[in-house]
Amino acid sequence: MPPSVRGCSKMTDRAAEAPPSRRPGWLPILTALVIIAVIVSLFGGGVNRPSSSLHLTQAAFWASDSAQWTPPDTLAASDDAVLNGAQTWSDVALPHARSREVVADAAHSPGQPQVAWYRMPVPAEALTDAGQGTRLYIPRWQTVGTVAVYLDGGLLWQTRGSRVWNSFNRPVWLDLSSRRASALAGRDATLHVRMASEPGVGGALSTVWVGPADELRPDWRIRSALQTELIAVSQGSYLVLGVFALVLWLLRPGRGEQVYALFFLMAISHVLAALQFLVDDEGISVSDDWFSWLTQLGLMGTSVCSFFFLCLVQRQRRQWLASVLLAYTGAIVVLALPLWGVGHEGMLPLLRLALLPPEILVLVVAVRGAWRQRTLGDVLLAAWVALSFPVGIHDLALQSYRVSIEGIYLTPYVYVGMFTLFLVIAFTRYNGALDSAGNANAHLAERLLAQERELAQTHERLLVAEREQTLLQERQRLMREMHDGVGSSLMTALRLVEHGDASTLNMTQVLKECIDDLKISIDSLEPLDHDLLALLASLRYRLAPRLEGAGLQLEWRVRDLPELSWLDAQSALHVLRILQEVFTNIIKHSGAQRISLETRELARDGVSGVQVEVQDDGRRFIPSNDPIPGRKGLHNVRVRAKVLHAQVFWQGLTERSECGNRFTLWLPISRED
């Protein structure tokens, strides 16, 4: 089963599963009753009334040799003397048609009309006023020329505006109340219809009705609606939708929104194609040639838009066919331009014939798409396109007077039906796309929820692993520091005992160093918020008793320093071990009496940093770059400084005002590990 059919079946299944309250069964019945009531109220007012109207189906016909296009104001002033009784009238049945001539009559020179007269008697009874007046109703007339209606010799109505594009598709509806004098006098009246036509085009006149307005009005309203009003309303509605689609296309340009532009072009084409059926008594405001070109443009545009809409609906590009169709249409439209001086009266049959290839192409594409897709919408669309051919033949026969002139032109309704089918199919596909998008969103939401649950579980596992890894690293670090610090001091105490040198003073000193190492390791675990001064303060607190016991005076000169973003627990322990080693060397080996510690912010080699200086007044000490066997303190200081990306310096003071040593520890403010 094709995807579109499966999509439609899914939509049908969902619609069938909908609750009954959302699809009430009485709604279609109520809608049908309302439509029937509206039709009956508008058009069925006089269906069952006794008919007193006069239906004229016979007339006397006479072909005049008049050369005047303009009808006379009265029959008495007519140049062909209609009322003198010298003419030979022949009886004809209405509706009556004068067929088109392939070769015009040589007796009529170009530019002169062929004038035909119809005469019909109207009994006095038909002119009786029934309360709303008497009406004259002519369902249809058709010719390229002018038409005038006379009653009792006086001009009652005439066409105006263009002779080519006139109001042939609008029923004639005339009030005869002003001619009641004939009925009051008990005399019959005579109705004359004058039809002046272009040579060779022929003409036709339907039957004529005379009677009370309330009896003739339903039929007149129905015919007016079918011939003009429904066409105008439908085209106006689609034009509004087309303008709305154009606005959407302008607001959302892109390849995915081309259906909006196509919808607008189709609406414009349909309006232009239907203009010929909507011309009223006032005529048109453009020249006949340009109006003919506009209608031809609308007809060609309808075929082109139908082709592209079919391609869009069937999801087929058909670039080669599209190029050929556009080239053919463009050539016809350009050649038909009135700029070349070709009269459209003689070109209209050829222009209508030029519509055949695009319409055949549209039919082939529609039938082929229906065969492939096999959906209800595509089948209906193909059937409707196929229906346009017999409808076109019917309208061509009606235009050529091959069938009764009282028929209805059906081509506009083919356009309306095709446009409606396109709209319904597009709306159905749009709803299907919305359903698919909704299902896809729901599926994506479910997948997203599953991914969120999986990510949450993974995150929890990562947190557990991270905590275990952190505990392991801290355990290893503490073990390493205890081995290097406390462990080393305990090993020294063990050697003293083993060699018999474990005097009370030595053991006390070793045990104090063990305690200091253990406390410093614990202090490194305290949260410092990257504050070096807080770390130095904890070191001062731990070493103060040893300094006092050794008789050393500590001068503390620190100032505010910026935070060190990299100063974590492990880095803090390295800093403490470096400074501890420096203080321990001063206490053990320098013989100093005073120690000072000073901090400042200082940049080195263009890198911002902070500096810690420890200065004593003891014996000068010059460290060696080579490691000394059995003494790893200075080597450990350098290794720890390298880990911290820091720099260490020892300087012996030789000036008289100063003696002793100065140790400098420079630390960067930020670093890239």
Side-chain angles (χ1 to χ4, degrees):
M1 182 181 295
S4 57
V5 177
R6 291 197 296 268
C8 293
S9 62
K10 291 180 181 179
M11 293 175 63
T12 306
D13 295 340
R14 286 194 294 269
E17 296 173 0
S21 58
R22 297 179 61 184
R23 297 192 305 134
W26 49 265
L27 185 58
I29 299 176
L30 180 60
T31 304
L33 291 177
V34 170
I35 294 175
I36 293 174
V38 171
I39 294 176
V40 170
S41 63
L42 290 178
F43 307 125
V47 171
N48 295 323
R49 297 182 183 180
S51 176
S52 59
S53 302
L54 175 63
H55 187 197
L56 300 175
T57 60
Q58 294 289 328
F61 174 79
W62 172 54
S64 173
D65 58 356
S66 174
Q68 298 296 324
W69 281 103
T70 305
D73 294 334
T74 62
L75 295 184
S78 176
D79 60 344
D80 49 4
V82 179
L83 301 180
N84 62 9
Q87 304 85 4
T88 301
W89 295 78
S90 59
D91 294 332
V92 295
L94 298 179
H96 176 260
R98 294 177 291 117
S99 61
R100 297 178 181 270
E101 301 174 3
V102 178
V103 179
D105 188 0
H108 292 80
S109 59
Q112 291 185 354
Q114 289 180 331
V115 179
W117 287 89
Y118 294 90
R119 183 180 63 191
M120 291 156 280
V122 180
E125 296 81 12
L127 299 174
T128 303
D129 188 359
Q132 295 186 1
T134 304
R135 297 293 187 269
L136 172 66
Y137 166 47
I138 304 177
R140 185 194 295 281
W141 60 269
Q142 184 167 326
T143 190
V144 178
T146 62
V147 176
V149 177
Y150 297 84
L151 185 64
D152 277 351
L155 180 62
L156 188 62
W157 172 83
Q158 65 175 332
T159 58
R160 303 181 185 277
S162 171
R163 294 198 297 264
V164 178
W165 298 105
N166 45 45
S167 57
F168 73 96
N169 205 40
R170 294 180 179 270
V172 179
W173 181 257
L174 302 176
D175 186 2
L176 302 183
S177 299
S178 60
R179 297 290 178 173
R180 291 179 189 168
S182 299
L184 294 177
R187 293 183 290 105
D188 297 335
T190 302
L191 181 69
H192 287 83
V193 177
R194 182 182 189 270
M195 184 176 295
S197 308
E198 289 283 352
V201 301
L205 179 67
S206 68
T207 59
V208 180
W209 293 80
V210 179
D214 54 351
E215 290 187 9
L216 299 179
R217 184 178 292 111
D219 186 71
W220 166 69
R221 282 182 173 174
I222 293 176
R223 183 167 286 274
S224 297
L226 293 177
Q227 293 183 183
T228 57
E229 293 173 2
L230 290 180
I231 299 174
V233 170
S234 61
Q235 299 303 326
S237 302
Y238 286 137
L239 181 60
V240 172
L241 293 177
V243 172
F244 179 71
L246 177 64
V247 173
L248 291 180
W249 180 67
L250 293 176
L251 293 178
R252 303 172 60 185
R255 183 177 180 182
E257 310 298 336
Q258 61 183 353
V259 64
Y260 295 135
L262 183 60
F263 198 88
F264 169 74
L265 293 177
M266 185 176 293
I268 293 296
S269 298
H270 284 175
V271 170
L272 293 178
L275 284 179
Q276 56 183 317
F277 301 102
L278 303 178
V279 179
D280 56 17
D281 291 339
E282 298 301 324
I284 55 178
S285 57
V286 297
S287 66
D288 294 340
D289 291 345
W290 279 106
F291 188 83
S292 301
W293 182 82
L294 286 175
T295 57
Q296 183 70 18
L297 177 64
L299 293 171
M300 299 294 291
T302 298
S303 299
V304 174
C305 292
S306 300
F307 171 81
F308 281 102
F309 203 98
L310 284 171
C311 294
L312 187 63
V313 168
Q314 298 171 4
R315 298 180 178 89
Q316 299 290 331
R317 302 189 66 177
R318 299 186 177 95
Q319 293 182 348
W320 182 80
L321 284 178
S323 301
V324 172
L325 178 61
L326 289 176
Y328 174 82
T329 304
I332 295 298
V333 170
V334 171
L335 291 176
L337 281 171
L339 300 176
W340 320 129
V342 179
H344 273 234
E345 293 87 350
M347 289 290 293
L348 279 178
L350 293 178
L351 292 177
R352 295 295 186 263
L353 187 62
L355 292 172
L356 191 58
E359 292 179 354
I360 293 177
L361 177 60
V362 171
L363 176 62
V364 171
V365 172
V367 172
R368 188 175 180 182
W371 179 259
R372 286 184 174 180
Q373 303 291 336
R374 299 189 181 182
T375 63
L376 179 61
D378 291 304
V379 172
L380 287 177
L381 188 57
W384 199 266
V385 174
L387 181 64
S388 65
F389 284 86
V391 167
I393 294 175
H394 167 270
D395 287 358
L396 183 61
L398 182 61
Q399 186 179 16
S400 302
Y401 321 125
R402 302 295 182 181
V403 296
S404 175
I405 193 63
E406 293 187 0
I408 302 295
Y409 282 98
L410 301 178
T411 301
Y413 293 101
V414 172
Y415 293 154
V416 171
M418 188 179 301
F419 195 91
T420 304
L421 281 176
F422 283 145
L423 182 61
V424 171
I425 292 175
F427 182 74
T428 303
R429 298 289 171 89
Y430 178 73
N431 283 340
L434 287 181
D435 291 340
S436 300
N439 294 334
N441 290 336
H443 182 63
L444 289 177
E446 293 177 358
R447 293 182 58 185
L448 180 61
L449 184 60
Q451 291 290 338
E452 288 179 351
R453 289 195 295 265
E454 184 177 353
L455 287 176
Q457 295 173 359
T458 304
H459 181 65
E460 184 65 27
R461 290 194 295 267
L462 289 176
L463 288 179
V464 173
E466 184 178 1
R467 286 194 294 267
E468 293 177 354
Q469 183 69 19
T470 302
L471 291 175
L472 178 61
Q473 292 177 354
E474 289 298 320
R475 187 180 296 111
Q476 292 176 349
R477 186 178 67 84
L478 289 176
M479 294 296 294
R480 183 173 58 254
E481 292 299 332
M482 291 181 68
H483 176 270
D484 295 340
V486 179
S488 178
S489 299
L490 291 177
M491 289 299 297
T492 301
L494 180 62
R495 285 195 296 270
L496 291 175
V497 172
E498 289 177 348
H499 292 82
D501 297 333
S503 63
T504 304
L505 179 60
N506 292 336
M507 289 297 297
T508 301
Q509 183 69 25
V510 170
L511 292 176
K512 285 182 179 181
E513 291 178 0
C514 290
I515 294 174
D516 290 340
D517 288 339
L518 181 60
K519 290 181 178 179
I520 287 175
S521 298
I522 295 174
D523 289 341
S524 67
L525 299 177
E526 294 292 331
L528 301 174
D529 295 332
H530 314 295
D531 189 357
L532 180 62
L533 293 183
L535 183 65
L536 296 178
S538 66
L539 178 65
R540 177 184 180 184
Y541 175 74
R542 296 302 181 190
L543 295 181
R546 290 186 61 189
L547 296 176
E548 292 178 359
L552 292 174
Q553 180 182 359
L554 177 63
E555 297 181 5
W556 195 262
R557 298 193 296 270
V558 297
R559 65 188 66 180
D560 291 338
L561 298 176
E563 293 183 354
L564 305 181
S565 58
W566 49 267
L567 189 61
D568 54 9
Q570 186 173 358
S571 300
L573 185 58
H574 285 310
V575 174
L576 291 176
R577 289 298 187 199
I578 291 173
L579 295 177
Q580 180 191 13
E581 181 66 25
V582 172
F583 276 99
T584 300
N585 288 336
I586 293 174
I587 294 173
K588 288 183 177 182
H589 308 296
S590 68
Q593 297 180 354
R594 180 176 57 83
I595 300 177
S596 65
L597 187 146
E598 183 178 358
T599 62
R600 66 170 60 91
E601 184 176 356
L602 181 66
R604 285 184 179 272
D605 300 329
V607 180
S608 301
V610 297
Q611 184 169 285
V612 181
E613 290 183 357
V614 179
Q615 183 174 333
D616 64 81
D617 57 355
R619 291 185 296 273
R620 292 181 64 235
F621 168 71
I622 301 177
S624 174
N625 294 329
D626 298 328
I628 301 175
R631 300 184 64 179
K632 298 182 179 180
L634 297 181
H635 175 71
N636 290 338
V637 168
R638 291 190 177 98
V639 172
R640 292 180 186 276
K642 185 176 182 180
V643 172
L644 295 175
H645 296 196
Q647 299 178 15
V648 292
F649 308 95
W650 284 270
Q651 180 181 4
L653 303 177
T654 58
E655 298 180 2
R656 294 182 178 181
S657 58
E658 294 183 351
C659 62
N661 305 281
R662 180 184 296 136
F663 170 78
T664 303
L665 172 63
W666 181 86
L667 301 169
I669 294 178
S670 61
R671 72 186 190 192
E672 296 181 0
D673 295 333

